[in-house]
Amino acid sequence: MHNHKNHDHNHGHHNHSHGHSHSHAHGHHHGDHHSARSGNKKGILIALLITASIAVLEFFGGLITNSLALLSDSGHMLSDASSLVLSLIAIWFAARPASSRRSFGYYRTEILAALLNGITLFVIAGFIIREAYGRFFDPPTVSTGPMMLIAFIGLAANLASAWALLKKGDVKGNINYRSAYLHVLGDALGSVGAILGGIVMWAFGWYIFDPIISVLVALLILKGAWGVIAQSLHVLMEGVPASIDQNKVKVDLERIMGVQEVHDLHIWSITSGMDSLSCHLVIGEQEDQQRILQEALSMLEEQYRITHATVQIETPLIRHSPLLV
């Protein structure tokens, strides 16, 4: 990017105007971001309180009733409570202002929290499957009445958490928040499984259903975890956001009157819902640089919701050293 700075120097006038249009758009974006985040915080806090209390209830319930389905669900709940704690820490970190050493601020903490959540879930699922394997060959008797009662309480609590998260925050746009929401939904399914298992065991005495349901819960946990891990790694590897087609952005920039070529186009996410772009636009000697720059910035904001764009305007005479392109 060193090369990039030199050119800004060459176009002193351009750089000044760019700074102005950019900072205006950017400030507006942060405001939106901030309000979405405070909503996220409330939703997560409510869900955390509900989840943590149910995890404790299911854990002791699982020990008393001898049900692995309840124990695995409490393990699931515990992982969710810890993931919600991580999400809260991440939101708190992300709210810290940028500094001269961290020019992007702490937004990436959210992605790291989501990645850590995903990995924790893998470990928990592994433990559940191992325990279930042992129980397949010698299923212990389960006290089905209390087990179903506890599972019902768990289900009601999970649905309340999911509702709180949906009402308060941004489940679609924010990966960290979405991972928290998926955790809670997975918990609700785990509780449904425990209830169904309880009914079957109570009616027929088929105690092998307990480890079977535990494995199903574990597989659910794995599926959610894999999605979160894959998405986090994509952001950390500076991948193009899933909602944006880079080729289409290039075509749209090249359509601007006076633009001859677009190169060094990079689009990446700082964190969920916060995309950045940098590119070089090659224009003719006689073209109006400021008009083209303004058109490019407006198009990126209106069509792609990219408000953090660094656009370098240059003529075909500019030579780039090959290593830095």
Side-chain angles (χ1 to χ4, degrees):
M1 289 308 263
H2 178 63
N3 200 6
H4 182 145
K5 286 202 178 86
N6 291 346
H7 297 321
D8 281 354
H9 214 63
N10 298 344
H11 301 295
H13 179 53
H14 143 199
N15 195 25
H16 169 75
S17 144
H18 170 201
H20 173 73
S21 54
H22 170 190
S23 64
H24 165 75
H26 198 185
H28 160 79
H29 185 60
H30 272 302
D32 292 354
H33 227 66
H34 188 70
S35 59
R37 270 160 212 283
S38 61
N40 288 351
K41 207 167 172 179
K42 257 191 208 131
I44 288 179
L45 204 56
I46 295 167
L48 173 62
L49 292 171
I50 297 173
T51 308
S53 32
I54 298 301
V56 173
L57 174 76
E58 287 199 336
F59 178 72
F60 289 108
L63 290 178
I64 294 162
T65 61
N66 205 7
S67 163
L68 179 62
L70 270 190
L71 278 174
S72 67
D73 204 36
S74 86
H76 195 183
M77 295 288 249
L78 181 69
S79 80
D80 286 1
S82 64
S83 83
L84 290 167
V85 168
L86 277 174
S87 299
L88 271 178
I89 292 171
I91 287 176
W92 174 73
F93 256 110
R96 292 178 62 181
S99 66
S100 56
R101 287 204 54 201
R102 301 243 189 290
S103 62
F104 279 120
Y106 289 83
Y107 287 112
R108 274 285 163 89
T109 322
E110 289 194 319
I111 306 299
L112 292 173
L115 179 64
L116 202 59
N117 282 345
I119 294 167
T120 326
L121 285 180
F122 255 80
V123 175
I124 285 175
F127 276 119
I128 294 171
I129 290 171
R130 201 181 76 186
E131 176 65 20
Y133 177 76
R135 286 193 174 209
F136 266 115
F137 304 105
D138 183 17
T141 308
V142 178
S143 321
T144 51
M147 171 195 168
M148 286 192 286
L149 176 68
I150 292 166
F152 261 114
I153 297 170
L155 176 62
N158 286 323
L159 293 176
S161 297
W163 186 79
L165 289 171
L166 253 183
K167 278 214 61 84
K168 299 274 182 210
D170 174 17
V171 170
K172 274 203 177 66
N174 183 315
I175 177 183
N176 178 29
Y177 197 72
R178 191 162 123 227
S179 77
Y181 179 68
L182 284 174
H183 277 277
V184 171
L185 277 190
D187 278 343
L189 285 169
S191 302
V192 168
I195 292 166
L196 293 175
I199 293 170
V200 169
M201 288 186 279
W202 171 73
F204 303 104
W206 296 341
Y207 292 113
I208 194 160
F209 255 79
D210 188 54
I212 288 173
I213 277 153
S214 313
V215 170
L216 290 176
V217 171
L219 292 175
L220 269 176
I221 297 176
L222 285 176
K223 184 178 180 294
W226 177 246
V228 169
I229 288 174
Q231 217 179 332
S232 311
L233 288 176
H234 185 72
V235 173
L236 291 173
M237 294 294 292
E238 307 281 357
V240 175
S243 58
I244 295 177
D245 176 351
Q246 178 150 340
N247 294 328
K248 191 172 177 311
V249 174
K250 189 171 191 289
V251 168
D252 285 343
L253 284 168
E254 283 171 345
R255 279 206 188 115
I256 295 171
M257 210 176 80
V259 173
Q260 297 177 4
E261 188 204 337
V262 176
H263 64 95
D264 278 356
L265 173 60
H266 299 286
I267 309 173
W268 69 99
S269 294
I270 311 288
T271 184
S272 307
M274 213 175 161
D275 302 328
S276 285
L277 173 147
S278 71
C279 69
H280 295 206
L281 301 185
V282 179
I283 66 169
E285 288 282 352
Q286 307 306 315
E287 298 291 350
D288 177 353
Q289 291 186 11
Q290 301 306 307
R291 172 191 63 77
I292 291 173
L293 179 61
Q294 188 58 67
E295 270 187 51
L297 293 173
S298 303
M299 185 276 291
L300 292 170
E301 184 167 2
E302 284 157 23
Q303 291 190 34
Y304 298 98
R305 291 181 58 205
I306 296 173
T307 49
H308 196 127
T310 307
V311 177
Q312 179 170 310
I313 305 280
E314 57 194 42
T315 65
L317 298 173
I318 295 286
R319 288 279 160 263
H320 292 276
S321 69
L323 281 176
L324 291 174
V325 169

